[in-house]
Amino acid sequence: MIPEVKKEIIDLGNGRSISLETGKLAKQADGSVVVRMGDAMLLATVVSARTSNPDIDFLPLTVDYREKFAAAGRFPGGFLKREARPSDQEILTMRLVDRVLRPLFPKDYHAETQVMIQLMSHDENVMPDALAGLAASACLALSDIPFDGPISETRVGRLNGEFIINPSKAELEDCDMDIMVGATIDSVSMVEGEMDEVSEKEMAEAIKFAHEAIKVQIEAQNSLVAQVGAKETREYEPEKENEEMAQKIYDFAYSKCYDIAKDGTSKSERGEQFAAVKEACQELFTEEELEENGDLIGKYFGKAQKEAVRNLILDEKIRLDGRKPTDIRPIWCEIDYLPSTHGSSIFTRGETQALATVTLGTSREVNVIDRPTEQGEEKFYLHYNFPPFSTGEARPIRGTSRREVGHGNLAQRALKKVLPSDFPYTVRVVSEVLESNGSSSMATVCAGTMALMDAGVPLKKPVSGIAMGLISDGAKFAVLSDILGDEDHLGDMDFKVTGTEDGITACQMDIKIKGLSYEILEQALEQARDGRMHILGKITETIPTAAEHVKAHAPKIVKVEIPKEFIGAVIGPGGKNIQALQEETKTEIVIDEVDDLGIVEILGVDQDGIDKAIQSVQNVTFTPVEGETYKVKVVKILDFGAVIEFVPGKDSLLHISELDWKRVEKVTDYVNLGDEIEVKYIGLDPRTKKPKVSRKALLPRPPRQEKKKPQENK
């Protein structure tokens, strides 16, 4: 018997709706829900362990999002016909959901918790990542897991000046804004997206528009819970506390931490001094007290340290490195640092440093996207690497982390808006973070801009980026420009903004407090603009405009269009012709079929080789035009004419009767082997179906001689 299903409908307008359904699937999970929009269906489940691990002091939360190929009626690519590691886009969706959910669990809840979201049915008119946050929240709301929700996430696009909630992929391609917003019913907590140089005011309006839609989605979750019946929140063992110990550590450490924070020392010096105070806290307690509650020292010291640093900023407007809230750390930049790359740059801001490289290639080097919900290619892509030495650590490297995927994607979105659409190369940017103390992703944007310009990529405008922070106690607040790593950890907001002199191109924001006012948000955006303009000035001092040409050792690329029917002739049997041509000219040749044309990309360092390759392709596709005159070469002498060559591989017979208007007895009286002569192409011989050329057609026709009349007999 099919169980009773509970359902709620969210009306999006224009005949679109989202349904929330529970009671049919995955009933052994702590909470499960099916979210549907059109034919797109996501199943979200959550399970949390009943007991906590006493050895950890954090929430072991896993958010997993997967798109099943069967959902789109497709087979997985590759040798193993099975879904394997998540794609970058799946990882990015996991991060979007995780960043909104994680702060809403109780600070002392440490039970293993897993949220799984699966795309079970795909609709090409629905972008499922915009539904993942709603699905995750709904299954949590239906469970007994302690969670200060519900929340939801929604995508906002702007098409022809009008905001749209959850636009289709086709609509999004024409939008000048694409942002994802996550929020509770009273507070925005996450923003991420890209835009075409919009103003700070327009961005704030888009966030407000999204929040209104999110409120409706949260009410629908509450209604669904009411239908099912709210479960009583489970009890769990809270963290061990000792108020006497906490007060003792606070009294001892607070003023010391305040003084250290006020000194304006470097990250390493500050860290050593804080560690010394933490170590001294141990001496406040007996061996028996330490044996029983020694594990609490780090926790209570951290609280005292955090409060001291925050109060210093709020009360005296002094930051950990001695700056004022609006100050930007010292910046130095350099381009063309690496001699063998196609473009390179170093961007250093304070104790954060990124080394960026650019590589130029053909369409063969595009990044192929093959997902159930999307197939395509990226001609521009950026990879971000964050090695452990950048923060003075030694730890094993086990593949690309989710953080690296997320930060690289943000920098890619920031820069792709300013790349020219007609740039013929495939472009790869790699950012190697060499030092990190605050926003290496924004350093990547700045380094990437300079490396692209150094490589000769004609950016529409240079882009800079800055990370903003916020400290607030409810009554007072301070917006911080160019935050340090510690300020990110101790603060209430991490807000990254990138853009040109004319507007924002990308953003990423995480807010850790409830009830952030739009006034504070707008102040942060305006302060970020001032910071971006300062950093942009440093970039343009280093490299004012893009290099006019790619570097001498970088490949040059030329595109040649040929009729589709000649593609096979250029490639040759088994690729024989094109391989030989590449070997001979030291070039790389790629051919793509687009509509009725073959697009031939010729890539090489040596211009002579490129020119020779172009000529060879043009020779293959050469077709004489009837009535046109051509300069040809005599390549063979026959008794009945001469074989002439238009271009290598394209020849024709010049018949002896077409050499001159008068009778020709001997071909060599008119042409010889190796001669270059002009001929006119007459067309295909109707009898032989072969090309017919004439030399005499270019010569003056002799006057006709009248025939003498026979004399009459007298």
Side-chain angles (χ1 to χ4, degrees):
M1 184 178 79
I2 297 176
E4 183 181 0
V5 174
K6 306 294 184 182
K7 181 180 287 190
E8 277 292 322
I9 304 295
I10 303 166
D11 185 10
L12 297 179
N14 297 324
R16 301 179 307 145
S17 64
I18 301 172
S19 70
L20 305 177
E21 176 187 293
T22 190
K24 184 183 288 187
L25 303 181
K27 294 191 295 299
Q28 292 191 47
D30 289 331
S32 69
V33 69
V34 173
V35 175
R36 178 168 183 167
M37 181 176 175
D39 288 338
M41 297 176 67
L42 286 83
L43 169 65
T45 60
V46 61
V47 175
S48 188
R50 294 286 169 176
T51 58
S52 300
N53 185 340
D55 297 326
I56 61 174
D57 60 354
F58 61 91
L59 172 65
L61 170 67
T62 302
V63 176
D64 196 85
Y65 170 80
R66 300 298 176 102
E67 296 177 348
K68 304 297 183 180
F69 276 84
R74 297 184 59 226
F75 286 89
F79 182 75
L80 296 174
K81 299 301 179 184
R82 183 185 183 118
E83 288 86 354
R85 69 174 300 277
S87 67
D88 282 1
Q89 189 57 48
E90 287 170 320
I91 289 171
L92 294 170
T93 303
M94 296 175 200
R95 281 173 54 84
L96 285 174
V97 177
D98 186 294
R99 283 159 48 199
V100 184
L101 295 185
R102 190 175 292 273
L104 298 177
F105 287 90
K107 299 296 183 186
D108 59 353
Y109 187 67
H110 300 156
E112 185 84 32
T113 304
Q114 185 177 48
V115 177
M116 296 190 67
I117 310 156
Q118 303 176 62
L119 177 68
M120 309 303 290
S121 177
H122 175 53
D123 184 331
E124 62 180 11
N125 295 314
V126 177
M127 300 186 71
D129 58 342
L131 304 174
L134 170 61
S137 174
C139 70
L140 274 162
L142 290 164
S143 75
D144 64 344
I145 299 168
F147 177 68
D148 192 14
I151 60 96
S152 191
E153 294 179 348
T154 194
R155 171 177 273 112
V156 174
R158 189 173 67 174
L159 183 62
N160 300 323
E162 298 291 328
F163 291 124
I164 310 171
I165 293 295
N166 290 355
S168 67
K169 186 178 179 183
E171 289 174 324
L172 198 60
E173 289 176 356
D174 296 323
C175 288
D176 64 354
M177 296 182 72
D178 170 16
I179 64 172
M180 196 81 80
V181 179
T184 64
I185 201 159
D186 56 5
S187 301
V188 173
S189 54
M190 187 279 300
V191 180
E192 181 162 329
E194 61 187 72
M195 48 284 295
D196 293 336
E197 296 181 284
V198 305
S199 69
E200 285 72 16
K201 182 179 178 182
E202 290 171 314
M203 183 174 164
E205 288 173 352
I207 295 171
K208 292 177 185 178
F209 184 81
H211 196 190
E212 292 305 311
I214 286 171
K215 291 176 183 178
V216 175
Q217 296 176 14
I218 289 173
E219 290 295 347
Q221 294 178 62
N222 289 332
S223 297
L224 182 64
V225 171
Q227 278 194 61
V228 174
K231 296 179 181 178
E232 186 175 343
T233 302
R234 71 175 62 172
E235 293 184 1
Y236 63 93
E237 185 177 350
E239 288 182 343
K240 181 171 61 172
E241 298 287 352
N242 188 309
E243 292 184 11
E244 183 181 345
M245 185 179 221
Q247 188 63 47
K248 201 169 186 179
I249 290 175
Y250 179 88
D251 293 341
F252 174 80
Y254 177 84
S255 60
K256 294 179 176 60
C257 289
Y258 194 98
D259 292 339
I260 292 170
K262 195 173 180 177
D263 276 348
T265 52
S266 68
K267 177 183 176 181
S268 59
E269 292 173 323
R270 194 166 57 244
E272 290 174 3
Q273 291 173 13
F274 281 137
V277 176
K278 182 179 176 181
E279 184 69 26
C281 288
Q282 306 247 4
E283 299 174 9
L284 300 174
F285 306 100
T286 65
E287 289 187 11
E288 291 78 11
E289 289 174 321
L290 290 175
E291 186 175 346
E292 183 179 356
N293 294 313
D295 54 334
L296 297 177
I297 290 178
K299 173 183 173 180
Y300 294 142
F301 172 78
K303 287 183 177 181
Q305 178 192 21
K306 180 175 181 179
E307 187 174 334
V309 173
R310 289 168 63 90
N311 287 343
L312 174 67
I313 295 171
L314 289 172
D315 297 339
E316 301 191 46
K317 307 300 181 187
I318 298 175
R319 299 165 64 177
L320 284 169
D321 56 359
R323 284 182 292 152
K324 296 176 182 178
T326 58
D327 288 348
I328 310 297
R329 287 172 290 175
I331 294 171
W332 67 265
C333 312
E334 184 177 337
I335 59 167
D336 199 22
Y337 177 70
L338 301 173
S340 298
T341 62
H342 299 163
S344 65
S345 74
I346 303 171
F347 178 84
T348 306
R349 183 191 59 240
E351 295 173 297
T352 297
Q353 184 178 77
L355 170 65
T357 59
V358 171
T359 308
L360 305 175
T362 67
S363 58
R364 187 176 292 166
E365 280 75 44
V366 296
N367 186 34
V368 178
I369 300 170
D370 182 24
R371 296 168 42 224
T373 56
E374 183 182 4
Q375 298 84 49
E377 297 175 341
E378 286 181 327
K379 281 193 65 179
F380 169 69
Y381 47 100
L382 185 150
H383 293 147
Y384 164 103
N385 297 317
F386 191 83
F389 66 77
S390 65
T391 54
E393 297 175 275
R395 52 180 167 78
I397 299 174
R398 294 188 175 93
T400 306
S401 69
R402 291 188 180 189
R403 181 184 187 278
E404 289 172 310
V405 172
H407 284 216
N409 178 69
L410 176 61
Q412 178 175 323
R413 299 177 87 176
L415 292 171
K416 76 177 184 180
K417 295 292 185 180
V418 296
L419 261 75
S421 58
D422 58 351
F423 194 60
Y425 293 91
T426 294
V427 182
R428 181 187 184 223
V429 176
V430 178
S431 173
E432 304 288 349
V433 178
L434 306 182
E435 297 179 42
S436 180
N437 183 17
S439 196
S440 53
S441 63
M442 295 299 93
T444 292
V445 171
C446 300
T449 292
M450 292 189 294
L452 287 165
M453 295 169 73
D454 179 51
V457 180
L459 300 183
K460 298 172 187 175
K461 297 166 191 173
V463 178
S464 65
I466 189 170
M468 308 296 293
L470 174 72
I471 304 290
S472 173
D473 64 1
K476 295 177 290 186
F477 72 91
V479 177
L480 309 179
S481 297
D482 180 24
I483 58 174
L484 301 170
D486 287 340
E487 291 172 337
D488 180 10
H489 175 68
L490 300 171
D492 300 316
M493 179 176 74
D494 175 18
F495 191 4
K496 301 180 179 74
V497 191
T498 73
T500 68
E501 61 182 358
D502 294 321
I504 299 170
T505 59
C507 71
Q508 183 183 92
M509 177 172 67
D510 291 295
I511 301 170
K512 307 167 190 175
I513 57 171
K514 290 185 178 181
L516 177 70
S517 70
Y518 283 103
E519 289 74 21
I520 295 177
L521 176 61
E522 288 168 0
Q523 178 181 326
L525 281 167
E526 288 300 327
Q527 192 169 316
R529 174 175 169 75
D530 294 339
R532 283 195 295 108
M533 293 303 102
H534 171 78
I535 296 168
L536 195 58
K538 297 294 184 181
I539 289 173
T540 52
E541 282 178 17
T542 306
I543 179 165
T545 58
E548 290 188 13
H549 306 287
V550 299
K551 296 184 184 298
H553 61 272
K556 288 78 179 172
I557 191 167
V558 177
K559 287 189 177 182
V560 179
E561 294 182 355
I562 63 174
K564 183 172 68 174
E565 59 267 24
F566 286 103
I567 292 176
V570 173
I571 295 173
K576 179 181 177 182
N577 294 355
I578 197 169
Q579 289 172 12
L581 182 58
Q582 289 181 123
E583 179 66 27
E584 180 186 355
T585 60
K586 306 303 180 187
T587 60
E588 183 178 345
I589 303 173
V590 179
I591 303 179
D592 290 318
E593 185 178 323
V594 180
D595 299 326
D596 292 328
L597 292 173
I599 308 299
V600 183
E601 293 181 2
I602 301 171
L603 189 86
V605 175
D606 179 57
Q607 190 61 48
D608 290 340
I610 293 173
D611 293 340
K612 189 172 182 180
I614 293 170
Q615 188 61 56
S616 296
V617 171
Q618 292 174 339
N619 290 347
V620 173
T621 61
F622 174 82
T623 303
V625 178
E626 188 172 342
E628 292 293 320
T629 300
Y630 297 94
K631 190 171 185 178
V632 298
K633 185 177 182 179
V634 178
V635 295
K636 194 173 184 180
I637 300 294
L638 303 170
D639 291 341
F640 51 86
V643 178
I644 58 91
E645 186 179 65
F646 291 101
V647 295
K650 294 291 178 76
D651 54 30
S652 180
L653 174 66
L654 174 60
H655 195 267
I656 193 170
S657 63
E658 295 294 335
L659 283 169
D660 204 343
W661 288 104
K662 60 187 179 184
R663 181 179 178 82
V664 177
E665 298 293 341
K666 191 175 181 183
V667 174
T668 53
D669 288 342
Y670 289 83
V671 295
N672 286 286
L673 193 66
D675 286 353
E676 290 187 350
I677 61 173
E678 288 191 340
V679 296
K680 184 175 183 178
Y681 179 61
I682 299 174
L684 292 177
D685 189 314
R687 183 173 61 85
T688 64
K689 304 300 180 184
K690 292 183 177 181
K692 186 176 180 181
V693 295
S694 173
R695 176 178 176 272
K696 74 179 184 181
L698 300 176
L699 301 176
R701 188 175 186 132
R704 281 189 156 212
Q705 293 183 355
E706 295 184 5
K707 292 183 179 180
K708 293 182 179 181
K709 294 182 180 179
Q711 293 184 352
E712 295 181 1
N713 291 329
K714 293 183 179 179

